Amino acid sequence: MKTLTEWQAAAADLEVRTRAFIDGSWADAADGSTFSCINPATGASIAQVTAGDVEDVNRAVAAARTAFDDGRWRNMAPRARGQRLIKLADLIVEHADELQLLETLDIGKPIRYTRRVDLEQAQTNYRWFGEAIDKLYDDISPTGPGTIGLITREPVGVVGAITPWNFPMMISAWKLAPALAAGNSVVLKPAEQSPLTALRIAELAAEAGIPDGVLNVVPGMGETAGKALALHMDVDAVAFTGSTAVGKLLLQYAGQSNMKRISLETGGKTPNLIFADAPDMRFAVNAVGFSIFWNTGEMCVAGSRLLVDRTIYDEVVEGVKGVAADWQPGDPLDPATKAGPVVDEAQLATVTGYIDRGVDEGARLVAGGRRTLTETGGYFVEPTVFADVDNAMTIAREEIFGPVLGIIPFDNEDEALRIANDTTYGLSAAVWTSNLARAHRLARELRAGTVWVNNFDQADITAPFGGFKESGSGGKDKSIWALDKYTNLKTTWINIGKGGR
Ligand code: NAD
């Protein structure tokens, strides 16, 4: 691992790709527009990046359509496609220092995690789908002797991927790896806060042998480039991760255009339930710190509502207060730093606005609560803890997407479950108990796509990820089930002349 000084030197020498990647070439926006890519740890501009709009999206979709229709990728044998994705995974590992540095500068994520988490998960996704794609078989329906019913999977066509800024490399891999493995062409619109790794990965994909036009990246704003992609008549599916509000817009765009398939991974308000019989209270309380302060709380699964058995409430509040002190933010390039800034000035205003709201609505501030490290020019917020939160308060209902925890007491299991499920979201939930029956009961009753028992945020490429309710719809990311989003089932009936089915 490099030292802070070595990372600073590497940052000074870093070459940054800034133009759209369309049909295998770098491209400026048709109208020449660019936007500033800001380092949130300093507030300084890293680069001017191409701001794509309708015309640029049209060019990228046309390239993707041509590549799909002429079969240069979808008609390649699955193993050959898989080998190229595995090669891309190898190239990502080969360029690890560069990619992790790009990600850290772009979004302020501590350098100690961009390799271990973001890059590692990205390369795992390309590798895993690359390895899996030639091991999947189609089906024959169980009919009588007169016909053969073939059930085959086909790529859907041109996929638009629209991604957020909190895990740019990893979440784009969640979309791109299965979409490309299945034989689709893709146009990726990364978040405007974090376009840099996507552009480099597109270039590495070309080096790995993924043909021109198959993977295109158009940076730009959501309301222009993103909207154009989602409204496009020649895009067959959109895979999205981002806010619930934008997810709802995408469903409308599909209805206003060609009824394209929309898959949404959206927001969350994860309840984290600690019972008095939690097997290891110290471990549970430390995990609370991780659940809300890791990645500066900019996690869809952030455990932002901590529900605690009243008999251990004071003890847990004190414990969490202590843990919060371990998550003070610092320079993301310093390998010792565990928490960075929030992603931009707008997010800083959002997070501090919610903190003010918590105080105004009567929650008890027990840790943090302020912007910090202002001398850096960066957007740092103290790890913040509110106790005595009521589930009706704004900070318990709305997704904050920052290092802000609300602690809510409960008197019994029924009440804990009622509060936990009293939310429009349903992404994830956690339960800490040594009562096996209670663990199973709650795992069944919690309305969430993922339930953790005596852990927080366990995950793996082999298991699907995605939410219930307003946390998502239209399919899952990761695992073999992710392929459902990027494939159509086709039925072919062949009459073999014996009559009858
Ligand atoms: P966002 O919805 O503002 O933006 C996400 C993407 O959508 C960006 O690329 C943006 O440019 C684009 N976009 C914005 N407006 C658009 C429009 N009108 N049409 C088309 N595209 C548009 O979300 P964000 O602030 O980038 O990310 C944070 C959100 O993402 C949080 O709500 C978080 O919970 C969610 N998230 C969910 C998951 C998950 O898997 N469930 C994972 C990470 C983040």
Side-chain angles (χ1 to χ4, degrees):
M1 187 59 154
K2 289 186 166 71
T3 61
L4 170 60
T5 323
E6 286 167 337
W7 281 120
Q8 284 166 334
D13 284 346
L14 190 65
E15 197 187 331
V16 177
R17 274 70 175 169
T18 59
R19 301 162 77 201
F21 192 78
I22 298 175
D23 207 10
S25 303
W26 297 115
D28 291 322
D31 67 1
S33 294
T34 61
F35 63 96
S36 257
C37 186
I38 304 287
N39 177 349
T42 61
S45 176
I46 304 168
Q48 287 299 119
V49 174
T50 295
D53 205 330
V54 178
E55 215 175 306
D56 310 292
V57 167
N58 287 346
R59 275 171 56 213
V61 173
R65 172 55 60 195
T66 302
F68 187 77
D69 286 350
D70 72 17
R72 70 185 80 164
W73 179 245
R74 75 182 156 96
N75 286 340
M76 221 180 243
R79 184 173 306 163
R81 286 201 304 268
Q83 281 164 346
R84 285 161 172 79
L85 289 172
I86 293 167
K87 173 75 180 160
L88 172 58
D90 291 342
L91 287 172
I92 288 172
V93 173
E94 212 173 285
H95 294 274
D97 278 9
E98 177 195 355
L99 286 164
Q100 75 177 114
L101 189 53
L102 280 173
E103 200 85 309
T104 288
L105 294 175
D106 211 3
I107 56 169
K109 185 176 304 211
I111 198 91
R112 67 193 281 175
Y113 298 125
T114 40
R115 169 73 199 251
R116 211 190 307 162
V117 178
D118 302 66
L119 187 128
E120 184 51 31
Q121 294 230 10
Q123 73 93 9
T124 298
N125 269 265
Y126 293 111
R127 192 177 303 283
W128 195 85
F129 283 101
E131 286 170 348
I133 200 64
D134 68 342
K135 295 166 189 70
L136 301 171
Y137 294 76
D138 288 328
D139 287 307
I140 298 178
S141 71
T143 56
T147 55
I148 297 176
L150 298 176
I151 305 163
T152 50
R153 270 184 193 276
E154 293 186 351
V156 293
V158 174
V159 172
I162 302 179
T163 50
W165 42 261
N166 58 341
F167 293 87
M169 217 177 348
M170 179 182 100
I171 292 179
S172 59
W174 287 2
K175 317 291 185 200
L176 266 46
L180 292 172
N184 297 284
S185 299
V186 179
V187 177
L188 167 64
K189 207 299 284 171
E192 48 272 42
Q193 297 86 348
S194 58
L196 300 184
T197 46
L199 293 170
R200 184 67 177 116
I201 282 175
E203 190 180 30
L204 293 177
E207 193 180 326
I210 294 176
D212 292 351
V214 172
L215 173 58
N216 308 275
V217 179
V218 182
M221 302 300 123
E223 305 73 35
T224 52
K227 184 174 178 182
L229 191 57
L231 277 171
H232 205 292
M233 292 299 288
D234 217 12
V235 170
D236 301 289
V238 166
F240 171 79
T241 293
S243 61
T244 294
V246 173
K248 288 180 179 180
L249 283 178
L250 296 183
L251 292 170
Q252 292 181 27
Y253 298 157
Q256 288 159 12
S257 54
N258 60 348
M259 237 169 71
K260 57 180 67 63
R261 184 185 297 179
I262 302 285
S263 56
L264 305 173
E265 301 290 352
T266 52
K269 201 70 200 168
T270 294
N272 187 5
L273 283 59
I274 304 190
F275 287 86
D277 61 3
D280 180 344
M281 197 58 75
R282 230 171 78 156
F283 182 69
V285 168
N286 277 329
V288 170
F290 170 81
S291 82
I292 188 69
F293 301 130
W294 187 70
N295 216 47
T296 322
E298 294 171 333
M299 286 182 291
C300 47
V301 295
S304 52
R305 292 185 300 146
L306 180 64
L307 277 52
V308 182
D309 193 322
R310 206 180 290 277
T311 60
I312 53 162
Y313 183 73
D314 292 337
E315 173 197 338
V316 171
V317 171
E318 274 312 297
V320 170
K321 204 171 139 182
V323 165
D326 291 341
W327 289 89
Q328 293 300 333
D331 183 348
L333 281 181
D334 185 341
T337 295
K338 284 169 67 179
V342 299
V343 79
D344 61 12
E345 208 164 356
Q347 190 62 14
L348 176 69
T350 302
V351 172
T352 51
Y354 275 116
I355 293 173
D356 293 345
R357 192 82 182 259
V359 172
D360 290 348
E361 291 185 5
R364 178 163 59 97
L365 186 65
V366 295
R370 284 168 312 189
R371 182 180 182 182
T372 182
L373 301 177
T374 42
E375 69 284 2
T376 60
Y379 315 123
F380 295 91
V381 180
E382 291 175 336
T384 296
V385 179
F386 283 104
D388 306 348
V389 171
D390 184 292
N391 201 47
M393 290 177 184
T394 309
I395 56 166
R397 302 218 71 78
E398 295 181 14
E399 187 180 39
I400 299 174
F401 227 56
V404 182
L405 176 68
I407 312 184
I408 305 172
F410 63 80
D411 287 311
N412 53 52
E413 185 182 312
D414 286 348
E415 190 189 15
L417 179 64
R418 185 185 54 72
I419 297 171
N421 280 341
D422 178 15
T423 170
T424 54
Y425 293 111
L427 188 55
S428 51
V431 178
W432 300 82
T433 180
S434 41
N435 180 329
L436 185 65
R438 189 202 323 264
H440 279 291
R441 263 196 312 272
L442 288 172
R444 279 192 183 174
E445 294 299 325
L446 284 161
R447 291 196 63 205
T450 298
V451 176
W452 295 293
V453 177
N454 297 331
N455 74 88
F456 196 98
D457 205 15
Q458 222 158 64
D460 189 61
I461 178 71
T462 52
F465 175 78
F468 295 178
K469 296 159 76 179
E470 291 189 26
S471 287
S473 66
K476 304 285 180 180
D477 282 325
K478 301 166 77 177
S479 81
I480 221 69
W481 287 276
L483 289 167
D484 291 347
K485 299 203 298 197
Y486 306 107
T487 51
N488 277 325
L489 282 183
K490 177 179 275 181
T491 304
T492 306
W493 287 111
I494 301 173
N495 182 348
I496 56 171
K498 281 203 164 180
R501 274 177 293 159

